[in-house]
Amino acid sequence: MFRSFANVNYRIWFAGALVSNIGGWMQATAQDWVVLTELTDNDAAAMGVTMALQFGPPLVLVSLTGWVADRFDRRHILLTTQIALLLLAVAVGVLILADVMTLPMMFGFAAAFGVFNAFDAPARQAFVSDMVSMGDTSNAVALNSASFNLARMIGPAVGGLLIVAIGSGWVFIANAATFLAMLCALLMLRRNQLAPRLKNRSRGGLAEGFRYVWARSDLRVVFVTVFLIGAFGMNFPIFASTMAIEFGSGADGYGILSSILAIGSLAGALLAARRDRARVRVVILAAGGFGIAAFVSAAMPTYATYAITLMFTGFMIVTLLTTANGYVQMTTDPALRGRVLALYMAVIMGSTPVGAPIAGWVADAFGPRTAIMLGGTAGFVACLIGGIWVLTSGRLHRHESSRFLMTLDETRPLSIVDWADPVEFSDEAAATTPIRAAKRS
């Protein structure tokens, strides 16, 4: 389950990311609460607009961010984005503490956070492949998700308590301090142990990555599923905050709900780390499971029972996203990985501007339970689309050893080839081989 920890660079990265992610979830909790209760009078639609502005840039800038992730040193990209995000967090915290923050200003900062995260996300995802062997990529992606969701267990609860204890502005300042952990980790990495970058002379840009995805029906199914869930099912700040208010809870109650959601998310990430490889069938089944969990949670009558169902919601959503992320990374040509991951991040983050305002409006007009059921319906639709693909793709056939079992042919990860010296790749070999070798046991 933890085989990627054998790599010293990955251990350093994991520790820095965990601290930084805790701060990020503290800030996310504070930002949502400030918009919902300090800058508006419980206006869920305003929160939806904030989310749309923050997650819109990955979609708008996708043609540039993927090219940057493939063209430039990813470690340098991450150093730049982390410093910029640190400075933005300090600025927001100071303005809130000075009591001059307004809703339009918060909208502007949300968009600025989104711009720098648009460059950070594909570089961060692709950088995982630079630290570990191709055979450990799926495990490293799953452990990254575990780190993210462990932080999600801690960050929102701590953030909610800090809002009550010292005020929302100081939560932004505290998050700025946690960026130092990631910056230190990036500076401490042993650069001579990072994978040599594949030489890619193609000028196809994003169009080349798009053609690659469009030519593969399995990736199309994964991208459509992630879009539907991202647009209508992953509006947890809207769902949890409005449900907390409906149950009569404050910022601390909202933070606890987010942390309980992360308990199931962490379990899903650790289970994904145990699997030898990512499979499309898991993505499809998890979409249906999310739909069921969403409808059950929408029917819960009390805060406690709603909180319990969130563990199952978190488990399903992280199982889906971790598996989808690992599948995209493992089965994509290394020369196009940055651009394909930029498309993937644009879909998952760029879908929020589509769904978050709709979810916020539905929560205001019809109540948060209806908004949650809208997300669950998106899960059922995604599962139906995946099921139709399974039946029509020609990959489903009778199992070789049993008359009554069926099996689905999966796209295999790229073959791993041992080379004496990966640095001495020729241009011809680099176009057809993985970027690094798996260690022989």
Side-chain angles (χ1 to χ4, degrees), residues 47 51 63 169 225 242 245 307-308 311 344 353 375 378:
M47 184 186 292
M51 292 173 63
S63 60
T225 299
T242 51
I245 291 173
I308 291 172
M311 289 189 288
Y344 175 83

Side-chain angles (χ1 to χ4, degrees), residues 73 144 195 305 332 409:
D73 186 295
N144 268 9
T305 54
T332 296
D409 293 334

Side-chain angles (χ1 to χ4, degrees), residues 124-294:
R124 181 188 292 254
Q125 296 293 327
F127 192 58
V128 173
S129 305
D130 295 344
M131 288 186 289
V132 300
S133 68
M134 183 64 70
D136 287 339
T137 297
S138 180
N139 177 257
V141 169
L143 290 176
N144 268 9
S145 181
S147 168
F148 182 79
N149 287 288
L150 179 59
R152 193 174 189 172
M153 289 175 59
I154 302 170
V158 173
L161 293 173
L162 288 178
I163 292 171
V164 175
I166 61 177
S168 55
W170 286 109
V171 178
F172 284 87
I173 302 297
N175 174 53
T178 65
F179 278 110
L180 297 176
M182 177 58 80
L183 291 171
C184 289
L186 289 168
L187 293 172
M188 291 171 60
L189 292 178
R190 301 179 183 180
R191 283 174 281 178
N192 63 327
Q193 295 184 17
L194 296 176
R197 294 294 301 277
L198 197 67
K199 295 181 180 180
N200 180 26
R201 302 183 184 278
S202 170
R203 298 182 180 274
L206 182 68
E208 188 176 357
F210 181 82
R211 285 194 297 269
Y212 181 85
V213 172
W214 190 255
R216 288 180 48 184
S217 62
D218 56 331
L219 288 184
R220 293 202 303 270
V221 169
V222 170
F223 275 52
V224 169
T225 299
V226 168
F227 173 81
L228 288 172
I229 298 299
F232 302 105
M234 289 179 58
N235 298 302
F236 298 124
I238 296 174
F239 300 154
S241 61
T242 51
M243 287 294 283
I245 291 173
E246 179 169 309
F247 289 125
S249 297
D252 51 348
Y254 167 45
I256 291 172
L257 285 178
S258 298
S259 295
I260 291 174
L261 176 76
I263 295 174
S265 301
L266 178 62
L270 292 175
L271 184 61
R274 291 178 58 89
R275 301 189 186 99
D276 58 341
R277 60 190 177 94
R279 293 175 170 85
V280 176
R281 71 186 79 170
V282 177
V283 176
I284 297 170
L285 292 175
F290 168 75
I292 295 173

